[in-house]
Amino acid sequence: MPATEKSLIRRIRQLSGKPALARIPLGIGDDAAVLRVPAPHEVLITTDFSLEGVHFRREWHSPESIGHRCLTRGLSDIAAMGGQPLAAFLSLALPAKLPQRWVDGFLRGLLGLAHQQGITLAGGDTAQSPGAGSNAKILADIVVVGSAPRGKALRRAGAKPGDSIYVTGELGASAFALEALLAQPKKKLDPKMHPAHFYPQPRLAVGRYLRERGIATSMIDVSDGLSTELHHLCEQSRVSAYVAAELIPRAHDATLEHALHGGEDYELLFTAPANRKVPRSIAGVAVTRIGKIRSGPARVSLLEGLRRRELRPGGWEHFNDPRRSSGKRSSGRRSA
Amino acid sequence: MPATEKSLIRRIRQLSGKPALARIPLGIGDDAAVLRVPAPHEVLITTDFSLEGVHFRREWHSPESIGHRCLTRGLSDIAAMGGQPLAAFLSLALPAKLPQRWVDGFLRGLLGLAHQQGITLAGGDTAQSPGAGSNAKILADIVVVGSAPRGKALRRAGAKPGDSIYVTGELGASAFALEALLAQPKKKLDPKMHPAHFYPQPRLAVGRYLRERGIATSMIDVSDGLSTELHHLCEQSRVSAYVAAELIPRAHDATLEHALHGGEDYELLFTAPANRKVPRSIAGVAVTRIGKIRSGPARVSLLEGLRRRELRPGGWEHFNDPRRSSGKRSSGRRSA
């Protein structure tokens, strides 16, 4: 059983370390935290759930991996704005009988990534999860606050006809691992063999580079799958897109379907003017041109050799998948 | 069953209305929201869970009341800093079979209060709740972002020996209603007869007044009960306190125990120098002097006639109450 709420907060505070007072004059322990954002900057804010049985399973994911993935979800959103993360806030509800070592592992995973990215856990909320026994689930909501110079944050809107479409890293590795887990739910996967699934890295340095150099015209992170995110980008930019299947950088073992529809890769998808030189690698991460933006309604076409087909959003959507009722997550093959 | 995730987000966006672009250049619909805080201001951030079976029950509370209470929790924290709220973010997980009219009622309650306080719902996250059937719970996490002039936010630390202790409004009404609900779980209470429980008002105008006039030396909101909050204030200020039972403003019907230990009143508890004139009413809300700060270890004494006893924190604490496992909330009598 976890400690009382007060001692849980004390533990979080202890593990979080002292915030940098110049940026966070007041962290955990008051009614609200106080943050200072550099004067010509705007504040970026994003919130993301990590719910047991929806976003992770205790049988599959170690507490460290769950904590890491929880924070990655928020940091990746800040990366997709080209932002600088500043602080995180964690609302955490725990079952009464959860072992303290689980909580410590979760915090280690989350705070390890926070430390690596130079941000502070500055506040949040704690509660006991509703329900009894195995019906009581671990419920986390992460808030990440960042900043970007006024008017410079990279939005989903902004892609122009003629722009090239790029993606960072490789796609499909997380979906491949998830499919393996779903196929043999009792078998554990070695996190070291599947880092993209268990310890995904938010592409903060790449996002900032693209914003600082004024390279990208629009950007989004690939959390729900390339097909879904590219549709979002087209909708917001009021353009259409086409991508070439052979250009999409696929992770080892991943199929084209994994790369097209698999979620949780946390790579960045962005557009840049056709004549803009874009490095092949930024901050050690590969950058690959995969397609082009056109005028027209928000639709995505996939070119495969001589064939061309419409690529519908095939990524994960809550409330819409019968498999979800069993606590499974789409394996990224829904529209295959 | 609620609409798909995409249409739920569309619905929230639609009901939220357009944000004021000068303050919120980018609201719902991108990777992160973009907020502008006035230049000499600091950013205030707070997060608060509202979990079915922990913070509310669907049998007792209408969706409108649950939405209103959800946002009050966050706004009250900003009030306790003397801050100006700016925007809210909502992470909302819903059971697959929840009727759409419940969702609409919840949003009406939440957005009605947001509108009243001049803030915008600027983002968040949606998911399907884990679990099946009645084990799938409504899970909300509200984030409220506000601001205060640099260095001026009112903290829990700051009370000095000799300061007077004040509280706004009346205490115990919410605990009284909760006790009535617990005593007869099948019986509905009329929300109009118990507004403090069903539609508590965050004391934003009072908090701002106290900050602007430089009256308060420390402040906290009474969300977990007077005894608990006064202890927090003493701990953070490194002082002790005594309060006179007869001075504590009690709501009609509320007992002294309700007023001392009952949570969810969302009144403000603050300290001010003894020689500082404090109005008896601020923004239409009564302000009552209830005690004094002393030097010494963080302890609270209660004076009742000629008797004096130690007042231990008796408010709500998660993980620590056997009654919680049945989804009940402490009735505020734990340390009676």
Side-chain angles (χ1 to χ4, degrees), chain A residues 36 42 47 91 141 319, chain B residues 1 36 42 47 91 141 319:
Chain A
R36 270 182 207 152
E42 291 170 330
T47 85
S91 286
D141 189 39
F319 306 127
Chain B
M1 167 163 164
R36 270 182 207 151
E42 290 170 332
T47 85
S91 286
D141 189 39
F319 307 125

Side-chain angles (χ1 to χ4, degrees), chain A residues 102-180:
Chain A
W102 193 96
V103 183
D104 286 349
F106 173 85
L107 292 172
R108 248 194 325 272
L110 192 150
L111 294 170
L113 179 58
H115 185 75
Q116 186 193 314
Q117 296 293 345
I119 69 165
T120 304
L121 185 64
D125 192 19
T126 58
Q128 186 172 309
S129 307
S134 68
N135 287 320
K137 306 290 186 192
I138 297 162
L139 312 169
D141 189 39
I142 193 83
V143 181
V144 180
V145 181
S147 76
R150 190 169 166 136
K152 299 294 186 193
L154 283 164
R155 305 179 176 203
R156 295 179 179 182
K160 295 276 178 295
D163 282 0
S164 295
I165 305 170
Y166 297 84
V167 72
T168 62
E170 295 174 331
L171 301 177
S174 189
F176 174 80
L178 184 64
E179 196 171 78

Side-chain angles (χ1 to χ4, degrees), chain B residues 68-86:
Chain B
H68 179 103
R69 286 162 46 106
C70 173
L71 183 56
T72 292
R73 286 169 63 75
L75 287 173
S76 181
D77 285 325
I78 299 297
M81 307 296 287
Q84 173 72 42
L86 175 57

Side-chain angles (χ1 to χ4, degrees), chain A residues 80-333:
Chain A
M81 307 296 286
Q84 173 71 41
L86 174 58
F89 296 78
L90 173 69
S91 286
L92 182 64
L94 301 174
K97 293 201 174 139
L98 192 71
Q100 182 63 42
R101 66 171 188 283
W102 193 96
V103 183
D104 286 349
F106 173 85
L107 292 172
R108 248 194 325 272
L110 192 150
L111 294 170
L113 179 58
H115 185 75
Q116 186 193 314
Q117 296 293 345
I119 69 165
T120 304
L121 185 64
D125 192 19
T126 58
Q128 186 172 309
S129 307
S134 68
N135 287 320
K137 306 290 186 192
I138 297 162
L139 312 169
D141 189 39
I142 193 83
V143 181
V144 180
V145 181
S147 76
R150 190 169 166 136
K152 299 294 186 193
L154 283 164
R155 305 179 176 203
R156 295 179 179 182
K160 295 276 178 295
D163 282 0
S164 295
I165 305 170
Y166 297 84
V167 72
T168 62
E170 295 174 331
L171 301 177
S174 189
F176 174 80
L178 184 64
E179 196 171 78
L181 289 166
L182 284 166
Q184 293 189 280
K186 299 285 172 201
K187 208 183 141 195
K188 285 231 168 195
L189 282 190
D190 181 0
K192 287 200 197 80
M193 299 296 290
H194 303 274
H197 182 76
F198 291 97
Y199 292 94
Q201 293 299 318
R203 301 302 190 194
L204 285 154
V206 183
R208 276 199 301 272
Y209 182 100
L210 293 168
R211 194 251 305 146
E212 283 166 5
R213 300 291 197 291
I215 292 173
T217 51
S218 71
M219 187 150 66
I220 192 169
D221 72 323
V222 186
S223 50
D224 290 343
L226 177 65
S227 58
T228 297
E229 306 296 0
L230 189 49
H231 266 94
H232 287 322
L233 194 143
C234 285
E235 279 172 3
Q236 295 287 315
S237 294
R238 295 161 192 267
V239 294
S240 77
Y242 60 95
V243 293
E246 64 185 311
L247 296 180
I248 295 169
R250 260 190 251 169
H252 180 66
D253 287 336
T255 64
L256 178 62
E257 296 301 316
H258 289 141
L260 287 174
H261 306 301
E264 302 184 316
D265 280 317
Y266 301 109
E267 296 295 345
L268 296 177
L269 176 69
F270 65 94
T271 56
N275 60 1
R276 187 71 158 97
K277 215 178 141 107
V278 177
R280 293 199 171 189
S281 164
I282 299 172
V285 180
V287 176
T288 310
R289 183 163 167 266
I290 61 168
K292 258 189 136 24
I293 295 293
R294 301 189 145 171
S295 61
R299 230 177 263 152
V300 180
S301 303
L302 181 73
L303 310 180
E304 281 186 282
L306 294 173
R307 282 175 53 219
R308 173 201 186 113
R309 62 174 164 114
E310 188 176 346
L311 184 66
R312 293 180 184 280
W316 174 251
E317 190 179 276
H318 294 281
F319 306 127
N320 214 6
D321 188 336
R323 274 171 292 182
R324 256 290 301 115
S325 55
S326 61
K328 286 176 192 171
R329 189 173 160 138
S330 161
S331 67
R333 295 208 154 201

Side-chain angles (χ1 to χ4, degrees), chain A residues 37 41-45 145-148, chain B residues 33-37 43 45 145:
Chain A
V37 171
H41 275 229
E42 291 170 330
V43 184
L44 309 176
I45 300 188
V145 181
S147 76
Chain B
V34 179
L35 270 58
R36 270 182 207 151
V37 170
V43 184
I45 301 188
V145 181

